[in-house]
Amino acid sequence: MIFVQALLAGVFQVVQMLLVLALAPGLTGLVRVVKARLLGRRGPPLVQPYRDLFRLLRKDVVLAENASWLFRVTPYLVFTAIWLAAALVPTFTTALALTATADLIALVALLASARFFLALAGMDVGTSFGGLGSSREMMIAALAEPAMLMVIFSIAILVRTTSLSLIVDFMLAGGVGLRISLGLALISLLMVAIAENARIPVDNPATHLELTMVHEAMVLEYSGRHLALIEAAGMLKLVLYMALIACIFLPWGISGPGEGPLAILIGLVTFVLKLASGAVLLALFETSIAKMRVFRYGEFLGGALLLSLLGAIFLYVSTGL
Amino acid sequence: MAFISLCIAAMLLLGIVGTTRSWLSRAHEVVHGGMALVCGGAALAVLLRLAAGGTEVDVLVLPIGLPWLNASLRLDALSAVFLLAVNLGGCLAAVFGWSYARHEAEPARVLPFFPLFLAGMNLVLVADDAFVFLMAWEFMSLSSWLLVLASHREAETRRAAYVYLVMASFGTACLLLAFGILAGEAGGYGFDAIRAHPPGAVSASFAALLVLLGAGSKAGLVPLHVWLPLAHPAAPSHISALMSGVMTKVAIYGLIRFLFDLVGEPLWWWGGVLAVVGAVTAVVGVLYALMQDDVKKLLAYSTVENIGVIVIGLGLALVFKASGVPALAALAMTAAMLHVLNHALFKCILFFGAGAVLTATGERDLDRLGGLIHRMPATALFCLVGAAAISALPPLNGFVAEWMLFQAVLNGPLLEQWELKIGFAVIGALLALSTALAAACFVRFYGIAFLGRARSPQAEQAREVDTVMLSAIAVPAVLCAVIGVLPKLAISMIEPANRLTTGEGMFDAGGHGGWVWLAPASAFGNSYSGFMMFMTILILTTLAVFMIHRYASNRVRRSIPWACGFTDPAPLGQYSASSFAQPLRRVFADQIFGAREVVDMPAPGETRPARFTLEMRDPAWDRLFTPVVRLVGWVADRVDNLQFLTIRQYLSMMFFALVVLLVMVAVSQ
């Protein structure tokens, strides 16, 4: 029986990895379509990101003369790290083979490794844009990462674990109810997610305007298959954050270990629905807000950090453990 | 034990060889080769001992020392863990120095003191009475002071050595007083006697405070860190690595020995104070590191940060121990001690790397480096491992310690005191902040020094260093990866020391998981597996590489960088170290360091260049040390008057002093 469960967990793990990979460009495409409609444009078709990726994969790599091996290795490392991180978040089932490998803290650290290498790659070619992007990205991360860890702390205080599967089980079991501190944590996590995914108001994913861009500046020198990997990693990251928020705060529909195929099916359908509604909400948010100046990021993310810290402290006090 | 004593004796002997025969060209080889063998042997001996269980205690009493007082030495699990860190670092430094110190201008200023420095550190770790401990502590301080003075012709070095000497004396004085309190009225200076008669709560708290000042000044806790960024970079690089990566650990050993072993039952607020001091140290240290342009200063400040992280771990362990939760104390303690080993490893990599860069380019200024990954590929690779490990990236070793520390912080709500409940959350936030800033700091360090285009002709013409130096950098890099992937190897070494200090091993509380899982039961059943993560990353990366190269375009064209269509030919147009740090400085450091930017922009038509100057102050100097120096000067001026009294006045002063002392005795009786 245990053997069957382990086998199923392995199968689900592979399904999960393929699922996030397959859905990621679609999610980005959906956000773009909804945004375009909201702005009164027709917008690119939903499948455009898939086409873009395949087009990039077919192209030659144009490598800057000064680029080192680090520049060429980074796309693979970044893609793998984010793919692995996305594989760890329960999307349709909690029975995943890799759950015990890494908890939420390790997941944050995996994202940090991807960022570390991407920032280094930005500085590798030796242009001012790369350094600019890396420097700003690290500044954003320096504030966003602690905020995210504090969110994790709040949840861990409540749930007594940082293992994602156990968090889902606990939330599904009910008994948590509505809590102010969870609300604070959710807001803080949303702010972090916006910053980390280079979305408006922190960064503009559609811009190539030098003065405003952060993420794009960092990957400016990438082309061909390298760029395809970086883009895919970015799309995966968006899925990852949406799945993470869904899994912690809206875990309904996720099936547990040992449940039948119907539960799995429900899990799949609810996950896709969650992603779709997330895309619509993100597009709504992005069209209704303007981008900030770079030096306001500190206040924005400092706010996120403070909210998450407050959430954690409220919980420390109120749970009285 | 006997073997370690022999090793220490051999180090002393090598020190003498260094002094007497330094005019011979062989002295260099004898000292460095000998030290590599002796330290390597000592490290191997403690390693085998720890691997075999390591719970036994060896005592050795030597018939030397003060009259009627023998020198007693003792080797237990706690000493063994630190001996491992010290001698591993010593062995690597000796190997690196073999090649690096060959071109030392004045070898006689380094050769004798290098073995003596290590002998002093080893002796501190095996001391079993206050005399030996303090003598060894001073020995360590003075020999390292002489090493700092190695290039004594530079005024900056002399200043660094002066500040270091003052701080070291202050530290020793504090420790001396602390031992005085611990010895009590019976005057038992042996550690056994102290252990047998722990002092009362008030005097124990005083002693703990003094130890925090004494050992803390040596470890570099804020605000007593000011000597560290001056002194560590002044010495030759392999000595810097020892001072930064190893000597600060001896100070940590002092803290642990006192607080967890000698003073008896700890009070919870000591741990609280320790954790807060550690958290402040971590954040301030990494912020300083982020602002530095000098490679070795940056690394020295990063040591301040890492010491802060270790001290947070000790603080948490102390709080949990005092609150009667030994399983959690063991978790925090394991994290702290693992970080001790880790930091010794990655500081060796990074300081040796800095030494290699210095050898190849003669430059320590980040803004005059760049592009070294092309010309020094092996150094660059190992330094990348070091930078990633110190930034706590999985699956390397830095992350393992960080993970366990976070798990310990998460248990804060179990504590009773509300100060601790809230304090733990804040400490967790500061710890997370310092980790994130450390990553930024090392992206900056690595990106500016090794990546991009060369910023100076020296960097342009750099050549890879020889294989001896490279091997000294490679070994710790490999160890970082091994400990990261299989952390249980290192944790099982630490386990006996843990049991000694906290009364429980990390996995005692019914923890589970085989060799590849890190799943302490005290951590809510959370688990982490460096091995699984490493394997998955390996498989996925291979898969991605294979798929892409199989099905996608495989061709690469070299071309000039695109840079939005504007390629500037001058490498100085790249982002520099200061420009990289600017956003972070604006967000975090402007208030703390009182940074002032002065932009001198010439009017249109003028041909002089625009200038930008940045001024930053260390608040520790402004708020703490300058007032203290002023106070000392003021008091000295007043005391100066005493030189010009008449005999009558001197006699009456003595008389009154005698009366006051007698009254004090009468009152205390």
Side-chain angles (χ1 to χ4, degrees):
Chain A
M1 187 58 201
I2 291 171
F3 176 74
V4 173
Q5 275 201 359
L7 192 72
L8 266 181
V11 172
F12 287 149
Q13 188 67 64
V14 174
V15 172
Q16 151 106 342
M17 299 190 74
L18 295 177
L19 181 74
V20 286
L21 199 58
L23 287 183
L27 178 68
T28 304
L30 186 59
V31 177
R32 285 186 197 158
V33 169
V34 177
K35 259 175 95 171
R37 290 294 149 86
L38 286 172
L39 294 172
R41 290 186 284 121
R42 178 189 285 274
L46 196 61
V47 292
Q48 191 59 41
Y50 294 96
R51 287 190 198 150
D52 287 346
L53 286 181
F54 283 118
R55 178 176 50 89
L56 282 173
L57 281 175
R58 278 202 312 277
K59 290 200 164 193
D60 293 358
V61 169
V62 182
L63 206 58
E65 273 152 358
N66 190 47
S68 68
W69 56 266
L70 188 67
F71 189 79
R72 304 177 66 168
V73 168
T74 296
Y76 297 97
L77 287 182
V78 169
F79 178 73
T80 311
I82 292 183
W83 194 16
L84 176 57
L88 293 168
V89 185
T91 51
F92 63 95
T93 176
T94 55
L96 295 171
L98 284 175
T99 13
T101 302
D103 61 350
L104 260 172
I105 296 172
L107 190 139
V108 173
L110 259 181
L111 293 177
S113 333
R115 183 187 315 118
F116 184 86
F117 281 100
L118 205 54
L120 282 183
M123 302 172 79
D124 186 48
V125 171
T127 60
S128 40
F129 288 122
L132 177 143
S134 303
S135 158
R136 291 179 179 179
E137 176 91 357
M138 292 320 280
M139 174 192 70
I140 293 173
L143 283 158
E145 210 182 297
M148 184 151 173
L149 278 169
M150 286 323 288
V151 171
I152 293 171
F153 279 12
S154 317
I155 294 154
I157 293 162
L158 204 58
V159 186
R160 311 281 297 127
T161 180
T162 51
S163 153
L164 275 160
S165 298
L166 296 179
I167 291 175
V168 172
D169 291 345
F170 188 92
M171 294 284 184
L172 278 180
V176 178
L178 282 173
R179 278 174 183 270
I180 298 174
S181 31
L182 269 189
L184 292 178
L186 175 60
I187 296 172
S188 174
L189 188 57
L190 285 172
M191 287 162 91
V192 169
I194 285 167
E196 288 273 324
N197 281 296
R199 313 298 303 195
I200 293 175
V202 174
D203 194 359
N204 190 347
T207 187
H208 267 291
L209 183 67
E210 296 86 350
L211 285 176
T212 57
M213 62 191 183
V214 177
H215 181 81
E216 287 295 326
M218 206 165 40
V219 302
L220 200 58
E221 295 296 329
Y222 275 115
S223 56
R225 58 174 187 272
H226 294 156
L227 186 59
L229 279 171
I230 300 260
E231 295 275 328
M235 294 165 182
L236 270 172
K237 202 166 168 188
L238 189 60
V239 173
L240 167 100
Y241 270 94
M242 284 200 184
L244 189 65
I245 291 166
C247 133
I248 297 173
F249 296 99
L250 312 155
W252 295 281
I254 299 178
S255 71
E259 286 184 42
L262 184 65
I264 301 289
L265 195 66
I266 291 174
L268 281 171
V269 172
T270 47
F271 176 60
V272 174
L273 286 178
K274 283 178 207 168
L275 278 191
S277 40
V280 174
L281 286 176
L282 179 64
L284 264 174
F285 178 72
E286 282 200 310
T287 40
S288 59
I289 200 161
K291 199 187 152 310
M292 286 186 292
R293 284 188 65 212
V294 170
F295 288 108
R296 301 271 318 271
Y297 298 170
E299 294 159 31
F300 179 76
L301 288 163
L305 179 58
L306 210 65
L307 278 180
S308 57
L309 189 62
L310 268 181
I313 288 177
F314 277 172
L315 271 178
Y316 267 106
V317 177
S318 70
T319 46
L321 286 163
Chain B
M1 182 70 235
F3 184 72
I4 296 291
S5 319
L6 277 180
C7 286
I8 295 174
M11 289 176 199
L12 293 172
L13 202 68
L14 283 168
I16 296 169
V17 171
T19 44
T20 56
R21 306 188 53 193
S22 57
W23 47 273
L24 279 183
S25 66
R26 311 301 312 171
H28 172 87
E29 271 86 3
V30 172
V31 168
H32 283 105
M35 282 309 287
L37 286 179
V38 172
C39 287
L44 197 65
V46 280
L47 185 70
L48 291 176
R49 192 188 151 93
L50 285 169
T55 42
E56 71 267 36
V57 175
D58 291 340
V59 181
L60 186 71
V61 179
L62 295 176
I64 47 172
L66 295 174
W68 306 292
L69 273 177
N70 296 319
S72 39
L73 308 179
R74 185 168 177 272
L75 175 59
D76 60 12
L78 181 61
S79 308
V81 169
F82 282 85
L83 279 173
L84 179 63
V86 165
N87 287 314
L88 188 61
C91 176
L92 293 169
V95 172
F96 189 78
W98 168 282
S99 187
Y100 179 75
R102 198 177 289 266
H103 309 295
E104 197 72 48
E106 290 170 282
R109 300 195 69 89
V110 176
L111 276 187
F113 308 123
F114 171 55
L116 295 184
F117 179 37
L118 273 162
M121 290 197 280
N122 271 298
L123 206 55
V124 171
L125 299 179
V126 293
D128 197 27
D129 63 50
F131 284 121
V132 178
F133 188 91
L134 285 171
M135 288 296 285
W137 189 274
E138 269 306 86
F139 207 77
M140 165 179 97
S141 298
L142 290 179
S143 50
S144 54
W145 172 66
L146 288 164
L147 285 166
V148 168
L149 262 178
S151 50
H152 61 114
R153 293 186 204 289
E154 293 160 29
E156 200 185 331
T157 307
R158 289 200 298 273
R159 176 163 174 264
Y162 173 70
V163 175
Y164 178 39
L165 193 63
V166 170
M167 290 303 285
S169 319
F170 167 75
T172 313
C174 289
L175 287 180
L176 188 67
L177 291 176
F179 273 121
I181 293 175
L182 287 186
E185 294 184 4
Y189 279 105
F191 284 179
D192 283 340
I194 294 175
R195 244 178 241 123
H197 305 284
V202 176
S203 32
S205 298
F206 261 115
L209 186 69
L210 285 168
V211 167
L212 184 62
L213 287 176
S217 71
K218 180 64 80 188
L221 290 178
V222 170
L224 301 172
H225 66 282
V226 289
W227 62 272
L228 201 140
L230 298 172
H232 287 194
S237 296
H238 59 300
I239 307 293
S240 312
L242 278 185
M243 287 184 72
S244 206
V246 173
M247 188 178 73
T248 50
K249 304 301 141 45
V250 177
I252 294 290
Y253 165 82
L255 268 181
I256 298 180
R257 181 59 84 193
F258 261 86
L259 296 175
F260 287 85
D261 189 12
L262 294 181
V263 292
E265 278 304 301
L267 302 177
W268 65 265
W269 62 266
W270 300 353
V273 169
L274 215 55
V276 168
V277 170
V280 171
T281 301
V283 172
V284 173
V286 72
L287 277 178
Y288 278 122
L290 255 168
M291 304 300 141
Q292 298 305 314
D293 290 343
D294 180 320
V295 174
K296 285 172 84 175
K297 265 202 179 135
L298 183 154
L299 294 177
Y301 272 123
S302 133
T303 296
V304 175
E305 186 234 336
N306 281 282
I307 290 296
V309 172
I310 294 170
V311 170
I312 292 176
L314 294 185
L316 300 186
L318 206 57
V319 168
F320 284 126
K321 191 185 176 189
S323 310
V325 210
L328 290 172
L331 178 66
M333 192 56 152
T334 310
M337 283 208 246
L338 184 64
H339 206 71
V340 164
L341 285 182
N342 288 346
H343 183 245
L345 288 174
F346 37 67
K347 252 319 130 53
C348 275
I349 305 178
L350 293 167
F351 262 117
F352 293 167
V357 169
L358 195 60
T359 315
T361 63
E363 288 293 344
R364 268 165 49 178
D365 187 353
L366 272 179
D367 279 335
R368 296 182 58 77
L369 296 170
L372 294 178
I373 196 170
H374 300 289
R375 280 167 289 278
M376 304 174 72
T379 311
L381 176 66
F382 300 136
C383 283
L384 180 63
V385 176
I390 203 168
S391 308
L393 301 186
L396 293 168
N397 58 351
F399 176 69
V400 180
E402 207 86 31
W403 186 82
M404 288 194 287
L405 213 46
F406 277 126
Q407 298 297 342
V409 171
L410 288 178
N411 281 290
L414 289 178
L415 296 163
E416 282 167 18
Q417 295 84 353
W418 64 266
E419 301 97 314
L420 289 179
K421 284 181 194 244
I422 294 177
F424 266 47
V426 175
I427 283 167
L430 291 177
L431 182 64
L433 186 63
S434 73
T435 312
L437 286 172
C441 173
F442 281 93
V443 164
R444 172 176 177 268
F445 161 75
Y446 194 83
I448 303 283
F450 288 96
L451 304 178
R453 288 176 286 165
R455 293 176 169 82
S456 70
Q458 288 89 326
E460 188 101 50
Q461 283 146 19
R463 287 262 193 81
E464 185 61 281
V465 290
D466 61 28
T467 38
V468 180
M469 282 198 227
L470 280 180
S471 64
I473 313 179
V475 169
V478 171
L479 285 177
C480 277
V482 170
I483 295 180
V485 172
L486 292 170
K488 282 245 175 120
L489 286 179
I491 288 172
S492 65
M493 301 275 165
I494 296 168
E495 192 97 354
N498 223 329
R499 217 174 287 278
L500 186 86
T501 48
T502 61
E504 189 136 15
M506 180 179 165
F507 294 94
D508 264 5
H512 56 288
W515 270 91
V516 295
W517 301 96
L518 201 58
S522 43
F524 317 157
N526 300 332
S527 54
Y528 164 73
S529 166
F531 180 76
M532 291 295 284
M533 194 177 258
F534 174 70
M535 289 312 283
T536 322
I537 289 176
L538 203 65
I539 292 168
L540 290 183
T541 313
T542 319
L543 201 69
V545 171
F546 175 78
M547 294 296 276
I548 297 258
H549 283 258
R550 178 86 177 72
Y551 295 107
S553 158
N554 215 354
R555 282 188 305 177
V556 171
R557 274 191 288 137
R558 287 276 179 175
S559 154
I560 49 170
W562 179 52
C564 283
F566 174 78
T567 350
D568 65 303
L572 289 179
Q574 295 175 87
Y575 242 45
S576 68
S578 356
S579 40
F580 190 90
Q582 193 230 22
L584 280 158
R585 203 191 69 226
R586 289 237 176 133
V587 175
F588 290 103
D590 271 1
Q591 275 89 23
I592 300 179
F593 301 128
R596 263 218 326 271
E597 291 175 11
V598 181
V599 182
D600 172 28
M601 190 65 84
E606 280 186 65
T607 48
R608 70 193 167 88
R611 282 198 190 287
F612 170 85
T613 41
L614 174 66
E615 200 180 295
M616 273 192 289
R617 314 268 314 152
D618 186 336
W621 279 112
D622 290 353
R623 308 242 168 84
L624 182 65
F625 289 95
T626 315
V628 166
V629 168
R630 217 173 281 149
L631 183 72
V632 168
W634 184 83
V635 171
D637 281 348
R638 297 290 95 76
V639 173
D640 201 31
N641 293 333
L642 292 182
Q643 286 194 26
F644 308 106
L645 302 183
T646 60
I647 294 282
R648 204 156 28 94
Q649 283 168 315
Y650 277 127
L651 284 177
S652 52
M653 241 169 70
M654 277 183 199
F655 176 72
F656 281 116
L658 199 63
V659 169
V660 168
L661 286 175
L662 284 175
V663 167
M664 276 170 70
V665 169
V667 168
S668 72
Q669 285 300 310

